[in-house]
Amino acid sequence: MAYKTIVEDNIDILVAGAGLGGTGAAFEARFWGKDKKIVIAEKANIDRSGAVAQGLYAINCYMGTRFGENNPEDHVRYARIDLMGMVREDLLFDMARHVDSAVHQFEEWGLPLMRNPQTGAYQREGRWQIMIHGESYKPIVAEAAKKSADKVFNRICVTHLLMDEAKEDRVAGAVGFNVRTGDYHVFKSKTVIVGAGGASNIFKPRSVGEGAGRVWYAPWSSGSAYGLMIGAGAKMTQMENRIVLARFKDGYGPVGAYFLHLKTYTQNGVGEEYESKWFPELQEMVGKEYLDVEASHATHRPIPTCLRNHAFIQEVNAGRGPIHMVTMEAFQDPHLEEIGWHNFLGMTVGQAVLWAATDVDPKYENPELTTSEPYVMGSHATGCGAWCSGPEDVSPPEYFWGYNRMTTVEGLFGAGDAVGGTPHAFSSGSFTEGRLAAKAACRYIDDGKAEGIRVSDEQINRRKKEVFKPMEHYKTYRNEITAGSVNPNYINPRQGLDRLQKLMDEYCGGVTVNYMTNEKLLHIGLKKLKTMEEDLEKIAAEDIHELLRAWELKHRHLTSEAVMQHTLFRKETRWPGYYYRGDAMKLDDQNWHVLTVSRRDPETGDYTMEKAPCYHLVGENE
Amino acid sequence: MPTFVYMTRCDGCGHCVDICPSDIMHIDKVTRRAYNIEPNMCWECYSCVKACPHQAIDVRGYADFAPLGHSVRVIRDEEKGVIAWRIKFRNGKKDLNLLAPITTKPWGKAIPQLADASSPSQEMRDSQLLFNEPKYIRLDDGDLHTLESNGLEMKEGVYY
């Protein structure tokens, strides 16, 4: 293919993916690296990209230390119990102690944060969430990143990380292509901060046909955070910890403000409270440590998200669906009604479209809820991502190798969805992680650790051939058939995505099997993923847009394999309600109170799995 | 559809093509107007709807669950710092007009240029502090939290 090769050389910090994590990284990097060359490579347009593209009506991670509301260790306790004991407490503590400063900056930049007229503090919708008018959240933080960066390359799909040829396991930049011009872009860089997204659409969605894009997490979140890092041989953690969301049916509109601020509640199809009746059985499965109803009442310790899902799923299975959100009481208050609608318009317009289309007025009718298909991500109520170093003053030796948020590949840092074991970061926490990674990356360079990086033309050309192969493949085989999309020599990216979703759904615990899997199913799934890998070598892209979809699929495939391997390795059901291992239904603290860590050999594709200690740095009691 | 473009309003300016996070708004080569090339990868995020200077782009609910006959329209004004929504129900019983702020400052003016900030000292570089901390955290004791400062100590991990 006759596409131009454009080389950007001598970069100090390359930010790959500029959602909330990447923008935080680019912004902060300029402060610690005044003379450094900071470059952003973003798949879409930085003004509207990432999961926050359409806005957010809440900042879900804010301590409120200045108002005396919470301390960082409180947040660690919360996230730990929500994730059934499994978090990287050093990383969480570190994010939590810095996150307020990010939020206070947002307010200075013009983001409208609501205030509680009584207390003067920010308006809370829950202990950790504050309410904002966040339609322009992303354009505002994008401005900050653009002011700090030397160059912003929009519409670059980063496909691979470049590796240093002078030193093993050291990053040297990245390559990708422009999804509009087709140009091949080479970024030679001393460090890379991956701020790319987690994975939607790796499991079959509940929506079908035209509506397939109506998923809870953005359809453009293609697992690139994981695809890039796994491909470079970085160690990953908690990839089995996929998330299922309970949301308004079909539109997947948010429920947080409804539950917490509007004080709505759920009931089953016959108008009963159902959640608590599943708790005794559930307690036998997970133990009282994780589901202590009395303690929850006393301390306001929340019931873990996955366990609430479990009650939802079981109640529907028992034939007492649908589950309704009781909105009719709260919506009689015109102020609360307005907030209910703004909540959608600020972050999930599709839900407002759906209610308008189906004449659901929540003032007179209680809307239905549903559980979503699973997603793989590291910044909502789940902690998938890379195994990263923590900060030096908090981390135990196993969690510390010198530079905050650096992965096991030297010079490669993560933020947001890319960092494993830090759930409940959400937007503000992801931005904060980006800031932390940027400071550490500057330090890494200043310490002379990035000296002597070598990237050969051979590596650059090899990747170029690989990147454009789907288009070559199309050109070669297209004319063997008359017309249409059925070809014996290739599949197109949509066909590939359909296969991946079906496979993951059926063998790895998606919606059609009620989130259930077992060892045998996982082995079959892994075998099918391997054969699919062979077919991905023959994927065909008709144009540059399809080439984008082809690479998104490849990243999703790598992510899926990691999810499957981790789910197989962890022989227990740690998160009932997110997924179930039918052959190991009980939570097994004796053998599995550990973090799972994997590495895929970039040369052979073989996986090595290991357990890592789960340190509890913060005590139980507040 | 979910997004679609009205033939008579679009002039092919490409603002939607520029902004779409999913790379699905493209210009049709024959009509030279924008259209959604891949509805099943559209999130109804309204980025293109808000960016269109002619209100030429609209959204129809996903065909797999949304009946026809509804409308959710939007106008976003960066200069005034507000966004206006109008929601019309299919049955005509509800017609909501909602207004919200999108910023409290003149657009982009309140964001610092960090290249102009004074250089951090070596002490700051060696510390755990980020830009403008601890000022922005406003901790009572003026410093950052550590485990020790919060009366915590590192506990033994749980090993396998």
mmCIF file with all atom_site columns, all heavy atoms in Angstrom, chain B residues 129-142:
data_model
loop_
_atom_site.group_PDB
_atom_site.id
_atom_site.type_symbol
_atom_site.label_atom_id
_atom_site.label_alt_id
_atom_site.label_comp_id
_atom_site.label_asym_id
_atom_site.label_entity_id
_atom_site.label_seq_id
_atom_site.pdbx_PDB_ins_code
_atom_site.Cartn_x
_atom_site.Cartn_y
_atom_site.Cartn_z
_atom_site.occupancy
_atom_site.B_iso_or_equiv
_atom_site.pdbx_formal_charge
_atom_site.auth_seq_id
_atom_site.auth_comp_id
_atom_site.auth_asym_id
_atom_site.auth_atom_id
_atom_site.pdbx_PDB_model_num
ATOM 1   N N   . LEU B 1 129 ? 4.109   14.909 45.872 1.00 0.00 ? 129 LEU B N   1
ATOM 2   C CA  . LEU B 1 129 ? 3.168   15.957 45.477 1.00 0.00 ? 129 LEU B CA  1
ATOM 3   C C   . LEU B 1 129 ? 3.040   16.130 43.972 1.00 0.00 ? 129 LEU B C   1
ATOM 4   O O   . LEU B 1 129 ? 4.016   15.976 43.240 1.00 0.00 ? 129 LEU B O   1
ATOM 5   C CB  . LEU B 1 129 ? 3.596   17.299 46.086 1.00 0.00 ? 129 LEU B CB  1
ATOM 6   C CG  . LEU B 1 129 ? 3.572   17.393 47.604 1.00 0.00 ? 129 LEU B CG  1
ATOM 7   C CD1 . LEU B 1 129 ? 4.114   18.748 48.060 1.00 0.00 ? 129 LEU B CD1 1
ATOM 8   C CD2 . LEU B 1 129 ? 2.161   17.188 48.137 1.00 0.00 ? 129 LEU B CD2 1
ATOM 9   N N   . LEU B 1 130 ? 1.834   16.482 43.528 1.00 0.00 ? 130 LEU B N   1
ATOM 10  C CA  . LEU B 1 130 ? 1.597   16.813 42.131 1.00 0.00 ? 130 LEU B CA  1
ATOM 11  C C   . LEU B 1 130 ? 1.506   18.339 41.995 1.00 0.00 ? 130 LEU B C   1
ATOM 12  O O   . LEU B 1 130 ? 1.581   19.060 42.994 1.00 0.00 ? 130 LEU B O   1
ATOM 13  C CB  . LEU B 1 130 ? 0.300   16.163 41.651 1.00 0.00 ? 130 LEU B CB  1
ATOM 14  C CG  . LEU B 1 130 ? 0.316   14.632 41.609 1.00 0.00 ? 130 LEU B CG  1
ATOM 15  C CD1 . LEU B 1 130 ? -1.066  14.100 41.220 1.00 0.00 ? 130 LEU B CD1 1
ATOM 16  C CD2 . LEU B 1 130 ? 1.361   14.106 40.635 1.00 0.00 ? 130 LEU B CD2 1
ATOM 17  N N   . PHE B 1 131 ? 1.298   18.809 40.760 1.00 0.00 ? 131 PHE B N   1
ATOM 18  C CA  . PHE B 1 131 ? 1.210   20.244 40.500 1.00 0.00 ? 131 PHE B CA  1
ATOM 19  C C   . PHE B 1 131 ? 0.205   20.915 41.438 1.00 0.00 ? 131 PHE B C   1
ATOM 20  O O   . PHE B 1 131 ? -0.925  20.457 41.578 1.00 0.00 ? 131 PHE B O   1
ATOM 21  C CB  . PHE B 1 131 ? 0.795   20.475 39.041 1.00 0.00 ? 131 PHE B CB  1
ATOM 22  C CG  . PHE B 1 131 ? 0.315   21.866 38.762 1.00 0.00 ? 131 PHE B CG  1
ATOM 23  C CD1 . PHE B 1 131 ? 1.188   22.951 38.848 1.00 0.00 ? 131 PHE B CD1 1
ATOM 24  C CD2 . PHE B 1 131 ? -1.010  22.111 38.429 1.00 0.00 ? 131 PHE B CD2 1
ATOM 25  C CE1 . PHE B 1 131 ? 0.746   24.239 38.598 1.00 0.00 ? 131 PHE B CE1 1
ATOM 26  C CE2 . PHE B 1 131 ? -1.461  23.398 38.173 1.00 0.00 ? 131 PHE B CE2 1
ATOM 27  C CZ  . PHE B 1 131 ? -0.576  24.469 38.264 1.00 0.00 ? 131 PHE B CZ  1
ATOM 28  N N   . ASN B 1 132 ? 0.646   21.984 42.059 1.00 0.00 ? 132 ASN B N   1
ATOM 29  C CA  . ASN B 1 132 ? -0.209  22.810 42.921 1.00 0.00 ? 132 ASN B CA  1
ATOM 30  C C   . ASN B 1 132 ? -0.746  22.096 44.159 1.00 0.00 ? 132 ASN B C   1
ATOM 31  O O   . ASN B 1 132 ? -1.730  22.538 44.751 1.00 0.00 ? 132 ASN B O   1
ATOM 32  C CB  . ASN B 1 132 ? -1.375  23.392 42.132 1.00 0.00 ? 132 ASN B CB  1
ATOM 33  C CG  . ASN B 1 132 ? -1.345  24.917 42.225 1.00 0.00 ? 132 ASN B CG  1
ATOM 34  O OD1 . ASN B 1 132 ? -0.748  25.466 43.137 1.00 0.00 ? 132 ASN B OD1 1
ATOM 35  N ND2 . ASN B 1 132 ? -2.001  25.585 41.308 1.00 0.00 ? 132 ASN B ND2 1
ATOM 36  N N   . GLU B 1 133 ? -0.148  20.978 44.499 1.00 0.00 ? 133 GLU B N   1
ATOM 37  C CA  . GLU B 1 133 ? -0.496  20.345 45.778 1.00 0.00 ? 133 GLU B CA  1
ATOM 38  C C   . GLU B 1 133 ? 0.513   20.827 46.814 1.00 0.00 ? 133 GLU B C   1
ATOM 39  O O   . GLU B 1 133 ? 1.656   21.117 46.440 1.00 0.00 ? 133 GLU B O   1
ATOM 40  C CB  . GLU B 1 133 ? -0.421  18.818 45.658 1.00 0.00 ? 133 GLU B CB  1
ATOM 41  C CG  . GLU B 1 133 ? -1.577  18.242 44.870 1.00 0.00 ? 133 GLU B CG  1
ATOM 42  C CD  . GLU B 1 133 ? -1.518  16.731 44.776 1.00 0.00 ? 133 GLU B CD  1
ATOM 43  O OE1 . GLU B 1 133 ? -0.494  16.133 45.160 1.00 0.00 ? 133 GLU B OE1 1
ATOM 44  O OE2 . GLU B 1 133 ? -2.488  16.155 44.317 1.00 0.00 ? 133 GLU B OE2 1
ATOM 45  N N   . PRO B 1 134 ? 0.206   20.930 48.084 1.00 0.00 ? 134 PRO B N   1
ATOM 46  C CA  . PRO B 1 134 ? -1.096  20.537 48.638 1.00 0.00 ? 134 PRO B CA  1
ATOM 47  C C   . PRO B 1 134 ? -2.176  21.607 48.547 1.00 0.00 ? 134 PRO B C   1
ATOM 48  O O   . PRO B 1 134 ? -3.283  21.372 48.979 1.00 0.00 ? 134 PRO B O   1
ATOM 49  C CB  . PRO B 1 134 ? -0.755  20.257 50.106 1.00 0.00 ? 134 PRO B CB  1
ATOM 50  C CG  . PRO B 1 134 ? 0.373   21.189 50.394 1.00 0.00 ? 134 PRO B CG  1
ATOM 51  C CD  . PRO B 1 134 ? 1.164   21.292 49.129 1.00 0.00 ? 134 PRO B CD  1
ATOM 52  N N   . LYS B 1 135 ? -1.899  22.748 47.891 1.00 0.00 ? 135 LYS B N   1
ATOM 53  C CA  . LYS B 1 135 ? -2.888  23.829 47.854 1.00 0.00 ? 135 LYS B CA  1
ATOM 54  C C   . LYS B 1 135 ? -4.256  23.313 47.377 1.00 0.00 ? 135 LYS B C   1
ATOM 55  O O   . LYS B 1 135 ? -5.281  23.585 47.987 1.00 0.00 ? 135 LYS B O   1
ATOM 56  C CB  . LYS B 1 135 ? -2.396  24.938 46.919 1.00 0.00 ? 135 LYS B CB  1
ATOM 57  C CG  . LYS B 1 135 ? -3.345  26.109 46.811 1.00 0.00 ? 135 LYS B CG  1
ATOM 58  C CD  . LYS B 1 135 ? -3.034  26.969 45.595 1.00 0.00 ? 135 LYS B CD  1
ATOM 59  C CE  . LYS B 1 135 ? -4.313  27.636 45.108 1.00 0.00 ? 135 LYS B CE  1
ATOM 60  N NZ  . LYS B 1 135 ? -4.233  28.062 43.731 1.00 0.00 ? 135 LYS B NZ  1
ATOM 61  N N   . TYR B 1 136 ? -4.262  22.579 46.280 1.00 0.00 ? 136 TYR B N   1
ATOM 62  C CA  . TYR B 1 136 ? -5.537  22.159 45.709 1.00 0.00 ? 136 TYR B CA  1
ATOM 63  C C   . TYR B 1 136 ? -6.248  21.099 46.548 1.00 0.00 ? 136 TYR B C   1
ATOM 64  O O   . TYR B 1 136 ? -7.442  20.897 46.412 1.00 0.00 ? 136 TYR B O   1
ATOM 65  C CB  . TYR B 1 136 ? -5.344  21.645 44.285 1.00 0.00 ? 136 TYR B CB  1
ATOM 66  C CG  . TYR B 1 136 ? -5.332  22.746 43.249 1.00 0.00 ? 136 TYR B CG  1
ATOM 67  C CD1 . TYR B 1 136 ? -5.480  24.077 43.618 1.00 0.00 ? 136 TYR B CD1 1
ATOM 68  C CD2 . TYR B 1 136 ? -5.188  22.456 41.912 1.00 0.00 ? 136 TYR B CD2 1
ATOM 69  C CE1 . TYR B 1 136 ? -5.472  25.082 42.674 1.00 0.00 ? 136 TYR B CE1 1
ATOM 70  C CE2 . TYR B 1 136 ? -5.180  23.464 40.951 1.00 0.00 ? 136 TYR B CE2 1
ATOM 71  C CZ  . TYR B 1 136 ? -5.318  24.771 41.342 1.00 0.00 ? 136 TYR B CZ  1
ATOM 72  O OH  . TYR B 1 136 ? -5.318  25.764 40.403 1.00 0.00 ? 136 TYR B OH  1
ATOM 73  N N   . ILE B 1 137 ? -5.497  20.403 47.380 1.00 0.00 ? 137 ILE B N   1
ATOM 74  C CA  . ILE B 1 137 ? -6.160  19.414 48.240 1.00 0.00 ? 137 ILE B CA  1
ATOM 75  C C   . ILE B 1 137 ? -6.708  20.109 49.473 1.00 0.00 ? 137 ILE B C   1
ATOM 76  O O   . ILE B 1 137 ? -7.721  19.720 50.030 1.00 0.00 ? 137 ILE B O   1
ATOM 77  C CB  . ILE B 1 137 ? -5.187  18.294 48.662 1.00 0.00 ? 137 ILE B CB  1
ATOM 78  C CG1 . ILE B 1 137 ? -4.545  17.662 47.440 1.00 0.00 ? 137 ILE B CG1 1
ATOM 79  C CG2 . ILE B 1 137 ? -5.910  17.226 49.470 1.00 0.00 ? 137 ILE B CG2 1
ATOM 80  C CD1 . ILE B 1 137 ? -3.585  16.560 47.767 1.00 0.00 ? 137 ILE B CD1 1
ATOM 81  N N   . ARG B 1 138 ? -6.013  21.178 49.884 1.00 0.00 ? 138 ARG B N   1
ATOM 82  C CA  . ARG B 1 138 ? -6.410  21.937 51.076 1.00 0.00 ? 138 ARG B CA  1
ATOM 83  C C   . ARG B 1 138 ? -6.548  21.040 52.296 1.00 0.00 ? 138 ARG B C   1
ATOM 84  O O   . ARG B 1 138 ? -7.570  21.011 52.975 1.00 0.00 ? 138 ARG B O   1
ATOM 85  C CB  . ARG B 1 138 ? -7.730  22.683 50.806 1.00 0.00 ? 138 ARG B CB  1
ATOM 86  C CG  . ARG B 1 138 ? -7.630  23.747 49.735 1.00 0.00 ? 138 ARG B CG  1
ATOM 87  C CD  . ARG B 1 138 ? -7.347  25.134 50.318 1.00 0.00 ? 138 ARG B CD  1
ATOM 88  N NE  . ARG B 1 138 ? -8.385  25.565 51.206 1.00 0.00 ? 138 ARG B NE  1
ATOM 89  C CZ  . ARG B 1 138 ? -9.452  26.270 50.809 1.00 0.00 ? 138 ARG B CZ  1
ATOM 90  N NH1 . ARG B 1 138 ? -9.588  26.575 49.545 1.00 0.00 ? 138 ARG B NH1 1
ATOM 91  N NH2 . ARG B 1 138 ? -10.341 26.661 51.680 1.00 0.00 ? 138 ARG B NH2 1
ATOM 92  N N   . LEU B 1 139 ? -5.494  20.282 52.554 1.00 0.00 ? 139 LEU B N   1
ATOM 93  C CA  . LEU B 1 139 ? -5.494  19.452 53.758 1.00 0.00 ? 139 LEU B CA  1
ATOM 94  C C   . LEU B 1 139 ? -5.280  20.352 54.967 1.00 0.00 ? 139 LEU B C   1
ATOM 95  O O   . LEU B 1 139 ? -4.551  21.333 54.896 1.00 0.00 ? 139 LEU B O   1
ATOM 96  C CB  . LEU B 1 139 ? -4.350  18.436 53.696 1.00 0.00 ? 139 LEU B CB  1
ATOM 97  C CG  . LEU B 1 139 ? -4.515  17.356 52.632 1.00 0.00 ? 139 LEU B CG  1
ATOM 98  C CD1 . LEU B 1 139 ? -3.256  16.515 52.562 1.00 0.00 ? 139 LEU B CD1 1
ATOM 99  C CD2 . LEU B 1 139 ? -5.704  16.488 52.957 1.00 0.00 ? 139 LEU B CD2 1
ATOM 100 N N   . ASP B 1 140 ? -5.879  20.001 56.068 1.00 0.00 ? 140 ASP B N   1
ATOM 101 C CA  . ASP B 1 140 ? -5.758  20.826 57.261 1.00 0.00 ? 140 ASP B CA  1
ATOM 102 C C   . ASP B 1 140 ? -4.307  20.954 57.720 1.00 0.00 ? 140 ASP B C   1
ATOM 103 O O   . ASP B 1 140 ? -3.870  22.010 58.151 1.00 0.00 ? 140 ASP B O   1
ATOM 104 C CB  . ASP B 1 140 ? -6.607  20.242 58.400 1.00 0.00 ? 140 ASP B CB  1
ATOM 105 C CG  . ASP B 1 140 ? -8.083  20.387 58.058 1.00 0.00 ? 140 ASP B CG  1
ATOM 106 O OD1 . ASP B 1 140 ? -8.394  21.237 57.193 1.00 0.00 ? 140 ASP B OD1 1
ATOM 107 O OD2 . ASP B 1 140 ? -8.893  19.646 58.619 1.00 0.00 ? 140 ASP B OD2 1
ATOM 108 N N   . ASP B 1 141 ? -3.555  19.858 57.602 1.00 0.00 ? 141 ASP B N   1
ATOM 109 C CA  . ASP B 1 141 ? -2.168  19.906 58.069 1.00 0.00 ? 141 ASP B CA  1
ATOM 110 C C   . ASP B 1 141 ? -1.213  20.327 56.951 1.00 0.00 ? 141 ASP B C   1
ATOM 111 O O   . ASP B 1 141 ? -0.008  20.338 57.132 1.00 0.00 ? 141 ASP B O   1
ATOM 112 C CB  . ASP B 1 141 ? -1.748  18.557 58.670 1.00 0.00 ? 141 ASP B CB  1
ATOM 113 C CG  . ASP B 1 141 ? -1.890  17.428 57.666 1.00 0.00 ? 141 ASP B CG  1
ATOM 114 O OD1 . ASP B 1 141 ? -2.255  17.720 56.509 1.00 0.00 ? 141 ASP B OD1 1
ATOM 115 O OD2 . ASP B 1 141 ? -1.637  16.281 58.032 1.00 0.00 ? 141 ASP B OD2 1
ATOM 116 N N   . GLY B 1 142 ? -1.751  20.662 55.806 1.00 0.00 ? 142 GLY B N   1
ATOM 117 C CA  . GLY B 1 142 ? -0.933  21.224 54.743 1.00 0.00 ? 142 GLY B CA  1
ATOM 118 C C   . GLY B 1 142 ? -0.014  20.253 54.038 1.00 0.00 ? 142 GLY B C   1
ATOM 119 O O   . GLY B 1 142 ? 0.871   20.671 53.323 1.00 0.00 ? 142 GLY B O   1
#
